[in-house]
Amino acid sequence: MKTPSPSSPLLLVVLFLSLVCMVVSVRPSAFPRRYHEYARKYEDQSFPAQWFTQTLDHYNGADSRTFQQKYYVNDLYWDKDNGPVFLYINGEGPVSGPPSSSTDEVVTLAQKFSAIIVTLEHRYYGQSVPFANNSLQNLQYLSSKQALFDLAHFIVNFTNYVLPPPPVVNNPGEITTRKVFTIGGSYSGALSAWFRLKFPQITVGAIASSGVVNAILDFTAFDEHVAFAAGEDCANALRKVTQLAENAIDAGGDSEKNVKALLGAQTLVDNGDFFYFLADSMAEGIQYGFHSELCTPLINAVLNNATDLLYVYSNYTNNTWGVYLGTPAEYATAWQQNITVDFNKADRQWWYQTCTELAYFQNAPKVGSIRSQRVNMTYHRTHCKNVFGAPVWPDTEATNEYYGGNYTAATKVVFVNGSQDPWQEASITSSFSFFEPTVYITCENCGHCVDLRGCPNGCTDQNALNQARSEIATLVGTWLYE
């Protein structure tokens, strides 16, 4: 992924975006993990990294192995006597600092409620790595369940042994307990909801921004929502791009080489990986609020009967998607087979989580698909096997039985989604309980985790975002002070 320098104007846009949503990112296609990769691109020395000795296997009391897990603290707004603890949950990507931007919803909430912000890097990502390499054997302790116990073990120790004791109140000898509120976006939004579900004694409430709580094996609804959010003209133009790319690949030889070179995808020797990258670059333009940058040039080209539609699309992949969102090389099977630990890479780890637990496989719908029909269940099953050298496959029914799927029965969790975000199809958008409200934000570029980070270049309806944030703040205050 291309990384702007701290002085680059691109950073201002990047800081507005959400793996995270992230953290970081989510990869079968347009994975939510990318959110977290936007959050902070350089180390802020105002918030030094700290380390926690974490249990490797929370499910085996006989296993005494541990690893070092990185965390950050932002206490600039904290009332040490009465302020709550905001546990900002990170997902599938490296972390280089706590939320600290004045435009970040986590920061504005911390200012409003005089909270301390603490954020823990997810196991196996960034520098929080238990082993010297990411072999299949070593990855066995990477799961959402282990991650939830990480959070519980950490926050109990942090509030009891790192923070100063709260003041004595009411009767002599009686002390208050630190109130903990969790916040997360995308996969970590799901973790936020699941943490409240599994550890209600530790938290008083949770925000699940674009929280993908429903593990979906055959996720065709993702592509369908991309088409809906793009609009008919743009969706038709994207279908033309896909068809032209398919024609070039099928022709082989120089045609195949030329189309891959045009899109900077020469390393994608597996054509399935190429079509996956093509679909992802389209979806992420919608998902992260770059609707105009993606759609307007393509629609104009179609209206003008342009014959170079692939070239027009390449301008988007090279100058928008490639700058802010990703790089084609990450989609290569060979890239994901590499077991070397690299603090800045997350693809292999996230594929492991999807291939063994969560899925979210964004397959092509049978009718009206934007993505190639070659992005299907056969591709995903083959890809999982090729990446890990074994027939790994997720049991999504078991995952949803454990957490509840679309009926995650936690209390005091607010689910927040943006109208353009295709990941809402794996989230909760309609409240089925008074104790589990939903907030839905509608605008042309209200994408993934929009409440946390806003929209690139500003939301088309800023009032919609402001109103949503006000609703969320009211819920947070209610649950903190009950």
Side-chain angles (χ1 to χ4, degrees), residues 27-240:
R27 203 169 245 111
S29 165
F31 275 131
R33 92 174 155 74
R34 293 190 177 279
Y35 160 71
H36 306 280
E37 294 177 352
Y38 305 148
R40 299 185 62 83
K41 283 292 187 181
Y42 60 97
E43 187 78 37
D44 188 336
Q45 298 303 320
S46 301
F47 307 103
Q50 302 183 58
W51 299 91
F52 177 71
T53 300
Q54 185 61 265
T55 300
L56 175 65
D57 186 0
H58 297 282
Y59 288 85
N60 183 1
D63 189 341
S64 61
R65 289 177 295 174
T66 61
F67 68 99
Q68 293 301 297
Q69 196 164 19
K70 186 169 67 171
Y71 72 95
Y72 291 91
V73 175
N74 180 350
D75 61 356
L76 296 179
Y77 327 106
W78 187 38
D79 178 345
K80 294 179 175 59
D81 289 338
N82 301 304
V85 177
F86 283 175
L87 175 57
Y88 181 67
I89 301 175
N90 282 285
E92 61 289 23
V95 178
S96 57
S100 59
S101 169
S102 61
T103 61
D104 191 315
E105 184 185 30
V106 181
V107 171
T108 59
L109 288 172
Q111 292 172 328
K112 181 178 180 65
F113 297 108
S114 303
I116 187 173
I117 304 170
V118 58
T119 185
L120 181 71
E121 191 169 60
H122 196 294
R123 60 169 52 205
Y124 285 84
Y125 294 97
Q127 294 176 282
S128 301
V129 290
F131 298 101
N133 65 60
N134 287 323
S135 68
L136 179 60
Q137 175 70 19
N138 287 342
L139 287 171
Q140 65 178 297
Y141 305 103
L142 173 56
S143 70
S144 64
K145 294 177 183 178
Q146 294 279 8
L148 291 176
F149 273 99
D150 285 348
L151 291 166
H153 185 41
F154 166 76
I155 201 62
V156 168
N157 277 269
F158 181 78
T159 54
N160 288 337
Y161 302 113
V162 177
L163 296 184
V168 174
V169 295
N170 299 328
N171 301 317
E174 180 183 355
I175 63 171
T176 61
T177 57
R178 299 284 184 191
K179 293 185 176 180
V180 176
F181 200 101
T182 63
I183 303 172
S186 194
Y187 163 59
S188 69
L191 290 176
S192 182
W194 293 338
F195 190 77
R196 173 66 187 159
L197 174 70
K198 297 299 182 180
F199 297 96
Q201 76 279 13
I202 297 178
T203 75
V204 298
I207 296 173
S209 175
S210 300
V212 286
V213 291
N214 192 12
I216 302 174
L217 187 66
D218 189 11
F219 196 11
T220 56
F222 184 92
D223 188 88
E224 292 169 347
H225 193 92
V226 171
F228 166 78
E232 183 177 0
D233 291 341
C234 183
N236 285 336
L238 292 172
R239 293 183 185 107
K240 290 179 185 292

Side-chain angles (χ1 to χ4, degrees), residues 28-30 214-230 239 283 286-287 360-371 375 377 380 406 419-427 429 440:
S29 165
N214 192 12
I216 302 174
L217 187 66
D218 189 11
F219 196 11
T220 56
F222 184 92
D223 188 88
E224 292 169 347
H225 193 92
V226 171
F228 166 78
R239 293 183 185 107
I286 301 299
Q287 173 180 329
Y360 308 127
F361 295 146
Q362 294 125 42
N363 297 320
K366 293 182 179 179
V367 178
S369 177
I370 287 177
R371 65 192 56 219
V375 182
M377 199 66 80
H380 283 104
N406 277 343
S419 60
Q420 303 303 95
D421 183 16
W423 283 102
Q424 66 180 270
E425 303 295 339
S427 185
T429 56
Y440 197 77

Side-chain angles (χ1 to χ4, degrees), residues 129-399:
V129 290
F131 298 101
N133 65 60
N134 287 323
S135 68
L136 179 60
Q137 175 70 19
N138 287 342
L139 287 171
Q140 65 178 297
Y141 305 103
L142 173 56
S143 70
S144 64
K145 294 177 183 178
Q146 294 279 8
L148 291 176
F149 273 99
D150 285 348
L151 291 166
H153 185 41
F154 166 76
I155 201 62
V156 168
N157 277 269
F158 181 78
T159 54
N160 288 337
Y161 302 113
V162 177
L163 296 184
V168 174
V169 295
N170 299 328
N171 301 317
E174 180 183 355
I175 63 171
T176 61
T177 57
R178 299 284 184 191
K179 293 185 176 180
V180 176
F181 200 101
T182 63
I183 303 172
S186 194
Y187 163 59
S188 69
L191 290 176
S192 182
W194 293 338
F195 190 77
R196 173 66 187 159
L197 174 70
K198 297 299 182 180
F199 297 96
Q201 76 279 13
I202 297 178
T203 75
V204 298
I207 296 173
S209 175
S210 300
V212 286
V213 291
N214 192 12
I216 302 174
L217 187 66
D218 189 11
F219 196 11
T220 56
F222 184 92
D223 188 88
E224 292 169 347
H225 193 92
V226 171
F228 166 78
E232 183 177 0
D233 291 341
C234 183
N236 285 336
L238 292 172
R239 293 183 185 107
K240 290 179 185 292
V241 170
T242 298
Q243 183 62 61
L244 290 170
E246 287 179 335
N247 293 345
I249 295 296
D250 290 343
D254 288 342
S255 294
E256 178 179 337
K257 291 179 182 178
N258 291 340
V259 71
K260 288 183 177 179
L262 179 66
L263 298 174
Q266 299 94 321
T267 61
L268 303 183
V269 295
D270 183 306
N271 289 335
D273 294 345
F274 171 78
F275 286 116
Y276 192 85
F277 142 72
L278 184 67
D280 218 18
S281 60
M282 294 175 178
E284 288 186 340
I286 301 299
Q287 173 180 329
Y288 288 115
F290 290 98
H291 185 282
S292 297
E293 291 84 347
L294 169 66
C295 292
T296 301
L298 290 173
I299 293 172
N300 289 338
V302 171
L303 291 175
N304 292 323
N305 297 314
T307 58
D308 56 351
L309 203 58
L310 275 172
Y311 177 78
V312 173
Y313 186 73
S314 73
N315 287 331
Y316 158 76
T317 58
N318 293 329
N319 299 320
T320 299
W321 183 84
V323 171
Y324 299 116
L325 300 174
T327 174
E330 296 173 322
Y331 292 80
T333 298
W335 176 287
Q336 296 155 17
Q337 288 172 330
N338 190 340
I339 68 172
T340 303
V341 169
D342 184 326
F343 298 154
N344 295 312
K345 291 182 179 179
D347 299 88
R348 179 174 173 83
Q349 301 96 298
W350 182 245
W351 268 106
Y352 178 81
Q353 289 194 257
T354 57
C355 288
T356 60
E357 181 184 18
L358 301 170
Y360 308 127
F361 295 146
Q362 294 125 42
N363 297 320
K366 293 182 179 179
V367 178
S369 177
I370 287 177
R371 65 192 56 219
S372 171
Q373 291 293 333
R374 302 170 208 198
V375 182
N376 52 33
M377 199 66 80
T378 299
Y379 168 77
H380 283 104
R381 187 179 292 276
T382 302
H383 191 72
C384 287
K385 182 178 180 180
N386 289 343
V387 168
F388 298 105
V392 294
W393 196 242
D395 185 347
T396 52
E397 289 186 7
T399 300

